[in-house]
Amino acid sequence: MNIALVVHDLQDQPGHSLYAKTLANGLGLRHRVTVFANRCERLADARWDTQHVRASRRSAQACIQSFPLGMRAHAAALSGYDIQHSQGYCGGKPNVVTAHICVAAYLDSLRSANLRNRLSLQLMARTEARFYRRYHGRVIAVSQKIANELKQYYGVQTPIDVIPHGVDAARFRNGTHESERGAVRSQLQLKDNQTLALYVGDLTKSHTHLKALAAAARRPAGVALHLQSKSSPASQLVWKCSPSRA
């Protein structure tokens, strides 16, 4: 089977990029796979091919907005593939889309955003909404929340399959795990037997999630909640919770 995987970037890092790379490595063992991307890291022994898609790199948003224009140059080649899998809206005419985010819902959840970012997100949300209104292929959502948002904000009528993200535990464990664990706990001033809850994500839209996490952390006494984010000046913050307050 000929499979095209369309993604803005394919690199060995978290997010859409690693998701697509994992698909390429797995599917490439049994099928003919080609990755269409603007930037692509490919090992010499990889069992899949690549096609470069032109896009602006002035910013992440510029890449996302210009990528569909670059996809037009590959329209004829893409028509020969049995499966055209796209990571969200990337342009072209995919027959399978994996949704990692609903831009309209993300925009609605932001506590604050400057005018430039808000206008850019509004443009992206309108483009995404127009795509889903015309799309009749298969949709995969990485969570039930995303599936619900696609229906609520874009009126998606086609069936949505929810396939949650998995975690490759081997990527987070190595021979220095125990020593690193001790060093991190010492830095956070936590005892070895103290329970630690970790939140990693975007703090610009996480206020509702943090309330739920803080409430959960209050139930057992002495739980510490650690926040890790690059979206806030306070990128590292530990809340030491008691039964009465967080």
Side-chain angles (χ1 to χ4, degrees):
M1 184 178 291
N2 291 338
I3 301 175
L5 300 179
V6 182
V7 63
H8 300 116
D9 295 324
L10 189 140
Q11 298 168 319
D12 193 17
Q13 56 183 271
H16 295 195
S17 183
L18 182 57
Y19 185 99
K21 191 168 187 178
T22 301
L23 284 180
N25 289 335
L27 294 173
L29 298 175
R30 302 178 63 180
H31 304 282
R32 179 186 173 190
V33 176
T34 303
V35 174
F36 290 77
N38 180 254
R39 290 180 178 174
C40 185
E41 294 179 357
R42 179 183 180 277
L43 296 178
D45 60 350
R47 301 184 66 175
W48 41 269
D49 299 318
T50 64
Q51 288 289 331
H52 177 72
V53 179
R54 296 184 61 183
S56 171
R57 303 302 307 199
R58 287 182 297 129
S59 67
Q61 292 178 348
C63 178
I64 293 171
Q65 292 169 357
S66 61
F67 191 90
L69 299 178
M71 283 291 292
R72 295 179 181 178
H74 300 277
L78 283 165
S79 65
Y81 286 84
D82 303 299
I83 295 177
Q84 297 181 40
H85 178 278
S86 177
Q87 298 291 324
Y89 173 66
C90 294
K93 296 181 179 180
N95 50 22
V96 181
V97 173
T98 294
H100 296 254
I101 188 175
C102 172
V103 177
Y106 172 73
L107 178 61
D108 196 35
S109 72
L110 292 179
R111 291 178 295 175
S112 61
N114 61 46
L115 180 60
R116 180 179 177 181
N117 286 342
R118 186 167 293 277
L119 291 176
S120 179
L121 287 170
Q122 287 174 345
L123 176 61
M124 292 167 60
R126 285 197 294 268
T127 302
E128 194 172 69
R130 184 168 58 250
F131 165 74
Y132 278 111
R133 283 198 301 269
R134 301 173 179 176
Y135 179 71
H136 300 290
R138 181 176 180 181
V139 177
I140 299 172
V142 299
S143 71
Q144 188 60 54
K145 178 177 180 292
I146 298 297
N148 294 341
E149 289 173 348
L150 292 176
K151 295 176 183 178
Q152 176 185 349
Y153 286 87
Y154 300 149
V156 174
Q157 299 296 321
T158 187
I160 301 176
D161 297 300
V162 177
I163 304 178
H165 277 317
V167 176
D168 183 359
R171 291 175 59 89
F172 298 92
R173 287 188 177 274
N174 51 46
T176 61
H177 173 73
E178 289 301 323
S179 61
E180 291 175 348
R181 179 180 186 275
V184 170
R185 283 181 168 268
S186 177
Q187 179 183 354
L188 298 177
Q189 299 180 345
L190 297 174
K191 297 179 180 179
D192 185 66
N193 63 349
Q194 186 173 3
T195 301
L196 174 63
L198 173 65
Y199 175 89
V200 180
D202 186 354
L203 291 178
T204 63
K205 61 169 184 171
S206 62
H207 50 291
T208 55
H209 306 308
L210 294 181
K211 289 179 181 178
L213 286 169
R218 281 200 299 269
R219 295 188 184 109
V223 172
L225 173 61
H226 179 72
L227 311 179
Q228 184 73 42
S229 176
K230 64 180 181 179
S231 60
S232 169
S235 61
Q236 296 188 25
L237 176 66
V238 175
W239 291 354
K240 293 183 179 179
C241 304
S242 68
S244 59
R245 63 182 295 178

Short mmCIF file of all heavy atoms in Angstrom, two decimals, residues 165-208:
data_model
loop_
_atom_site.label_atom_id
_atom_site.label_comp_id
_atom_site.label_asym_id
_atom_site.label_seq_id
_atom_site.Cartn_x
_atom_site.Cartn_y
_atom_site.Cartn_z
N HIS A 165 -2.99 9.31 22.74
CA HIS A 165 -1.53 9.24 22.65
C HIS A 165 -1.00 8.15 23.56
O HIS A 165 -1.54 7.89 24.64
CB HIS A 165 -0.91 10.57 23.10
CG HIS A 165 -0.88 11.60 22.03
ND1 HIS A 165 -0.52 11.33 20.74
CD2 HIS A 165 -1.15 12.93 22.06
CE1 HIS A 165 -0.56 12.44 20.02
NE2 HIS A 165 -0.95 13.42 20.80
N GLY A 166 0.06 7.52 23.14
CA GLY A 166 0.77 6.58 24.01
C GLY A 166 2.08 7.20 24.46
O GLY A 166 2.51 8.24 23.96
N VAL A 167 2.72 6.56 25.42
CA VAL A 167 4.00 7.03 25.93
C VAL A 167 5.00 5.88 25.84
O VAL A 167 4.75 4.79 26.34
CB VAL A 167 3.90 7.50 27.40
CG1 VAL A 167 5.27 7.88 27.93
CG2 VAL A 167 2.94 8.68 27.51
N ASP A 168 6.11 6.14 25.18
CA ASP A 168 7.18 5.16 25.10
C ASP A 168 8.03 5.31 26.35
O ASP A 168 8.91 6.17 26.43
CB ASP A 168 8.01 5.40 23.84
CG ASP A 168 9.11 4.37 23.65
OD1 ASP A 168 9.23 3.47 24.52
OD2 ASP A 168 9.85 4.45 22.66
N ALA A 169 7.76 4.48 27.35
CA ALA A 169 8.44 4.61 28.64
C ALA A 169 9.95 4.51 28.53
O ALA A 169 10.68 5.10 29.32
CB ALA A 169 7.90 3.56 29.61
N ALA A 170 10.42 3.75 27.53
CA ALA A 170 11.87 3.56 27.39
C ALA A 170 12.59 4.88 27.10
O ALA A 170 13.77 5.03 27.43
CB ALA A 170 12.15 2.56 26.27
N ARG A 171 11.89 5.85 26.49
CA ARG A 171 12.51 7.14 26.19
C ARG A 171 12.76 7.95 27.45
O ARG A 171 13.56 8.88 27.45
CB ARG A 171 11.60 7.95 25.26
CG ARG A 171 11.51 7.40 23.86
CD ARG A 171 10.49 8.20 23.04
NE ARG A 171 10.83 9.60 22.96
CZ ARG A 171 11.61 10.15 22.03
NH1 ARG A 171 12.13 9.37 21.09
NH2 ARG A 171 11.86 11.43 22.02
N PHE A 172 12.09 7.61 28.55
CA PHE A 172 12.20 8.39 29.78
C PHE A 172 12.96 7.65 30.88
O PHE A 172 13.06 8.13 31.99
CB PHE A 172 10.80 8.75 30.29
CG PHE A 172 10.02 9.59 29.32
CD1 PHE A 172 9.19 9.01 28.38
CD2 PHE A 172 10.15 10.97 29.32
CE1 PHE A 172 8.47 9.79 27.48
CE2 PHE A 172 9.46 11.75 28.43
CZ PHE A 172 8.62 11.16 27.50
N ARG A 173 13.49 6.49 30.57
CA ARG A 173 14.25 5.73 31.56
C ARG A 173 15.59 5.32 30.97
O ARG A 173 15.69 4.86 29.86
CB ARG A 173 13.48 4.47 32.00
CG ARG A 173 12.30 4.77 32.89
CD ARG A 173 11.70 3.49 33.46
NE ARG A 173 10.62 3.77 34.37
CZ ARG A 173 10.77 4.03 35.65
NH1 ARG A 173 11.98 4.05 36.17
NH2 ARG A 173 9.74 4.27 36.43
N ASN A 174 16.63 5.51 31.77
CA ASN A 174 17.96 5.08 31.36
C ASN A 174 18.75 4.70 32.61
O ASN A 174 18.22 4.66 33.72
CB ASN A 174 18.67 6.18 30.57
CG ASN A 174 18.65 7.52 31.31
OD1 ASN A 174 18.92 7.56 32.51
ND2 ASN A 174 18.32 8.59 30.62
N GLY A 175 20.01 4.45 32.46
CA GLY A 175 20.82 3.99 33.57
C GLY A 175 21.01 5.01 34.68
O GLY A 175 21.41 4.66 35.79
N THR A 176 20.75 6.29 34.38
CA THR A 176 20.95 7.34 35.39
C THR A 176 19.63 7.79 36.01
O THR A 176 19.58 8.82 36.67
CB THR A 176 21.65 8.55 34.75
OG1 THR A 176 20.81 9.07 33.70
CG2 THR A 176 22.99 8.16 34.14
N HIS A 177 18.56 7.01 35.79
CA HIS A 177 17.24 7.44 36.26
C HIS A 177 17.21 7.72 37.76
O HIS A 177 16.73 8.77 38.20
CB HIS A 177 16.20 6.38 35.91
CG HIS A 177 14.84 6.64 36.48
ND1 HIS A 177 14.02 7.62 35.98
CD2 HIS A 177 14.18 6.08 37.52
CE1 HIS A 177 12.90 7.65 36.68
NE2 HIS A 177 12.96 6.73 37.62
N GLU A 178 17.74 6.80 38.57
CA GLU A 178 17.65 6.96 40.01
C GLU A 178 18.44 8.16 40.51
O GLU A 178 17.99 8.92 41.37
CB GLU A 178 18.13 5.68 40.70
CG GLU A 178 17.18 4.51 40.56
CD GLU A 178 15.79 4.83 41.12
OE1 GLU A 178 15.72 5.52 42.17
OE2 GLU A 178 14.80 4.40 40.51
N SER A 179 19.64 8.36 39.96
CA SER A 179 20.45 9.51 40.39
C SER A 179 19.81 10.82 39.96
O SER A 179 19.82 11.81 40.71
CB SER A 179 21.87 9.40 39.83
OG SER A 179 21.85 9.40 38.41
N GLU A 180 19.23 10.85 38.76
CA GLU A 180 18.56 12.06 38.28
C GLU A 180 17.31 12.34 39.11
O GLU A 180 16.98 13.48 39.39
CB GLU A 180 18.21 11.92 36.81
CG GLU A 180 19.42 11.92 35.89
CD GLU A 180 19.06 11.66 34.44
OE1 GLU A 180 17.90 11.26 34.20
OE2 GLU A 180 19.92 11.84 33.58
N ARG A 181 16.60 11.27 39.50
CA ARG A 181 15.42 11.42 40.34
C ARG A 181 15.77 12.09 41.66
O ARG A 181 15.10 13.04 42.10
CB ARG A 181 14.78 10.06 40.59
CG ARG A 181 13.53 10.08 41.47
CD ARG A 181 13.00 8.67 41.65
NE ARG A 181 11.73 8.66 42.36
CZ ARG A 181 11.62 8.67 43.69
NH1 ARG A 181 12.72 8.68 44.45
NH2 ARG A 181 10.43 8.66 44.26
N GLY A 182 16.87 11.63 42.26
CA GLY A 182 17.29 12.22 43.53
C GLY A 182 17.70 13.68 43.38
O GLY A 182 17.39 14.52 44.23
N ALA A 183 18.40 13.99 42.28
CA ALA A 183 18.85 15.36 42.06
C ALA A 183 17.67 16.32 41.86
O ALA A 183 17.66 17.43 42.39
CB ALA A 183 19.78 15.40 40.84
N VAL A 184 16.67 15.87 41.09
CA VAL A 184 15.50 16.71 40.84
C VAL A 184 14.72 16.94 42.14
O VAL A 184 14.29 18.05 42.44
CB VAL A 184 14.60 16.09 39.77
CG1 VAL A 184 13.26 16.83 39.69
CG2 VAL A 184 15.29 16.10 38.43
N ARG A 185 14.53 15.88 42.92
CA ARG A 185 13.79 16.01 44.18
C ARG A 185 14.54 16.92 45.16
O ARG A 185 13.91 17.68 45.91
CB ARG A 185 13.54 14.64 44.80
CG ARG A 185 12.40 13.90 44.11
CD ARG A 185 12.12 12.55 44.73
NE ARG A 185 10.86 12.03 44.23
CZ ARG A 185 9.69 12.23 44.82
NH1 ARG A 185 9.62 12.91 45.94
NH2 ARG A 185 8.59 11.75 44.29
N SER A 186 15.86 16.84 45.15
CA SER A 186 16.65 17.73 46.00
C SER A 186 16.48 19.18 45.57
O SER A 186 16.35 20.09 46.40
CB SER A 186 18.12 17.31 45.94
OG SER A 186 18.92 18.20 46.70
N GLN A 187 16.47 19.41 44.26
CA GLN A 187 16.29 20.76 43.73
C GLN A 187 14.93 21.32 44.11
O GLN A 187 14.79 22.51 44.40
CB GLN A 187 16.45 20.74 42.21
CG GLN A 187 16.27 22.09 41.54
CD GLN A 187 16.35 22.00 40.03
OE1 GLN A 187 16.66 20.93 39.48
NE2 GLN A 187 16.07 23.08 39.35
N LEU A 188 13.91 20.46 44.12
CA LEU A 188 12.56 20.89 44.45
C LEU A 188 12.30 20.86 45.96
O LEU A 188 11.19 21.17 46.40
CB LEU A 188 11.53 19.99 43.75
CG LEU A 188 11.56 20.00 42.22
CD1 LEU A 188 10.55 19.01 41.66
CD2 LEU A 188 11.29 21.39 41.67
N GLN A 189 13.31 20.46 46.72
CA GLN A 189 13.21 20.38 48.18
C GLN A 189 12.09 19.44 48.62
O GLN A 189 11.28 19.76 49.48
CB GLN A 189 13.00 21.79 48.78
CG GLN A 189 14.13 22.75 48.48
CD GLN A 189 13.91 24.13 49.08
OE1 GLN A 189 12.81 24.47 49.48
NE2 GLN A 189 14.97 24.91 49.15
N LEU A 190 12.08 18.27 48.00
CA LEU A 190 11.09 17.25 48.31
C LEU A 190 11.76 16.02 48.91
O LEU A 190 12.87 15.65 48.51
CB LEU A 190 10.32 16.84 47.04
CG LEU A 190 9.50 17.93 46.36
CD1 LEU A 190 8.93 17.38 45.06
CD2 LEU A 190 8.38 18.42 47.26
N LYS A 191 11.08 15.40 49.85
CA LYS A 191 11.59 14.17 50.44
C LYS A 191 11.43 13.02 49.45
O LYS A 191 10.59 13.06 48.56
CB LYS A 191 10.84 13.86 51.73
CG LYS A 191 11.01 14.92 52.82
CD LYS A 191 10.22 14.56 54.05
CE LYS A 191 10.39 15.61 55.14
NZ LYS A 191 9.59 15.28 56.35
N ASP A 192 12.22 11.98 49.65
CA ASP A 192 12.21 10.86 48.71
C ASP A 192 10.87 10.14 48.69
O ASP A 192 10.46 9.63 47.66
CB ASP A 192 13.33 9.87 49.08
CG ASP A 192 13.44 8.75 48.06
OD1 ASP A 192 13.80 9.04 46.90
OD2 ASP A 192 13.15 7.59 48.42
N ASN A 193 10.18 10.10 49.82
CA ASN A 193 8.91 9.37 49.90
C ASN A 193 7.69 10.26 49.71
O ASN A 193 6.56 9.81 49.86
CB ASN A 193 8.81 8.64 51.25
CG ASN A 193 8.81 9.62 52.43
OD1 ASN A 193 9.09 10.80 52.26
ND2 ASN A 193 8.52 9.11 53.61
N GLN A 194 7.91 11.52 49.35
CA GLN A 194 6.78 12.43 49.17
C GLN A 194 6.20 12.27 47.77
O GLN A 194 6.92 12.09 46.78
CB GLN A 194 7.22 13.88 49.37
CG GLN A 194 6.06 14.88 49.34
CD GLN A 194 6.52 16.28 49.69
OE1 GLN A 194 7.70 16.52 49.91
NE2 GLN A 194 5.58 17.22 49.76
N THR A 195 4.87 12.32 47.67
CA THR A 195 4.19 12.17 46.38
C THR A 195 4.30 13.45 45.58
O THR A 195 4.03 14.55 46.09
CB THR A 195 2.70 11.82 46.59
OG1 THR A 195 2.62 10.60 47.34
CG2 THR A 195 2.01 11.63 45.24
N LEU A 196 4.68 13.32 44.34
CA LEU A 196 4.84 14.48 43.45
C LEU A 196 3.95 14.32 42.23
O LEU A 196 4.00 13.31 41.54
CB LEU A 196 6.31 14.60 43.00
CG LEU A 196 6.63 15.67 41.96
CD1 LEU A 196 6.33 17.06 42.51
CD2 LEU A 196 8.08 15.57 41.52
N ALA A 197 3.10 15.31 41.97
CA ALA A 197 2.26 15.34 40.77
C ALA A 197 2.88 16.32 39.79
O ALA A 197 3.28 17.43 40.17
CB ALA A 197 0.84 15.76 41.12
N LEU A 198 2.96 15.94 38.52
CA LEU A 198 3.63 16.75 37.50
C LEU A 198 2.64 17.21 36.44
O LEU A 198 1.87 16.40 35.92
CB LEU A 198 4.75 15.94 36.84
CG LEU A 198 5.45 16.58 35.65
CD1 LEU A 198 6.22 17.83 36.08
CD2 LEU A 198 6.39 15.58 34.98
N TYR A 199 2.67 18.51 36.13
CA TYR A 199 1.90 19.04 35.00
C TYR A 199 2.88 19.63 34.00
O TYR A 199 3.69 20.50 34.36
CB TYR A 199 0.90 20.12 35.45
CG TYR A 199 0.20 20.77 34.28
CD1 TYR A 199 -0.99 20.24 33.78
CD2 TYR A 199 0.72 21.90 33.65
CE1 TYR A 199 -1.64 20.81 32.70
CE2 TYR A 199 0.08 22.48 32.56
CZ TYR A 199 -1.09 21.94 32.10
OH TYR A 199 -1.73 22.51 31.02
N VAL A 200 2.84 19.16 32.77
CA VAL A 200 3.68 19.69 31.70
C VAL A 200 2.76 20.18 30.59
O VAL A 200 1.97 19.41 30.05
CB VAL A 200 4.64 18.62 31.14
CG1 VAL A 200 5.50 19.20 30.03
CG2 VAL A 200 5.50 18.04 32.25
N GLY A 201 2.83 21.45 30.25
CA GLY A 201 1.95 21.94 29.20
C GLY A 201 1.89 23.45 29.13
O GLY A 201 2.67 24.17 29.76
N ASP A 202 0.92 23.91 28.37
CA ASP A 202 0.74 25.33 28.07
C ASP A 202 -0.06 26.00 29.18
O ASP A 202 -1.23 25.71 29.37
CB ASP A 202 0.00 25.45 26.73
CG ASP A 202 -0.11 26.88 26.26
OD1 ASP A 202 0.29 27.79 27.01
OD2 ASP A 202 -0.58 27.10 25.13
N LEU A 203 0.58 26.92 29.91
CA LEU A 203 -0.10 27.58 31.02
C LEU A 203 -1.05 28.68 30.56
O LEU A 203 -1.85 29.17 31.34
CB LEU A 203 0.93 28.18 31.98
CG LEU A 203 1.77 27.17 32.78
CD1 LEU A 203 2.78 27.91 33.65
CD2 LEU A 203 0.87 26.30 33.64
N THR A 204 -0.98 29.07 29.28
CA THR A 204 -1.89 30.12 28.80
C THR A 204 -3.32 29.64 28.69
O THR A 204 -4.24 30.44 28.58
CB THR A 204 -1.44 30.64 27.43
OG1 THR A 204 -1.52 29.58 26.47
CG2 THR A 204 -0.03 31.18 27.48
N LYS A 205 -3.55 28.34 28.70
CA LYS A 205 -4.91 27.82 28.57
C LYS A 205 -5.24 26.78 29.62
O LYS A 205 -6.20 26.04 29.48
CB LYS A 205 -5.11 27.21 27.18
CG LYS A 205 -4.18 26.04 26.90
CD LYS A 205 -4.58 25.29 25.65
CE LYS A 205 -3.71 24.08 25.43
NZ LYS A 205 -4.19 23.23 24.34
N SER A 206 -4.43 26.74 30.67
CA SER A 206 -4.52 25.61 31.59
C SER A 206 -5.24 25.93 32.90
O SER A 206 -5.23 25.13 33.80
CB SER A 206 -3.12 25.10 31.92
OG SER A 206 -2.37 26.10 32.57
N HIS A 207 -5.85 27.11 33.01
CA HIS A 207 -6.40 27.51 34.30
C HIS A 207 -7.44 26.51 34.81
O HIS A 207 -7.49 26.22 36.00
CB HIS A 207 -6.99 28.92 34.22
CG HIS A 207 -7.92 29.14 33.08
ND1 HIS A 207 -7.48 29.17 31.77
CD2 HIS A 207 -9.26 29.33 33.02
CE1 HIS A 207 -8.51 29.39 30.98
NE2 HIS A 207 -9.60 29.48 31.70
N THR A 208 -8.27 25.99 33.92
CA THR A 208 -9.28 25.03 34.37
C THR A 208 -8.63 23.71 34.77
O THR A 208 -9.04 23.07 35.73
CB THR A 208 -10.32 24.78 33.27
OG1 THR A 208 -9.65 24.36 32.08
CG2 THR A 208 -11.11 26.04 32.98
#
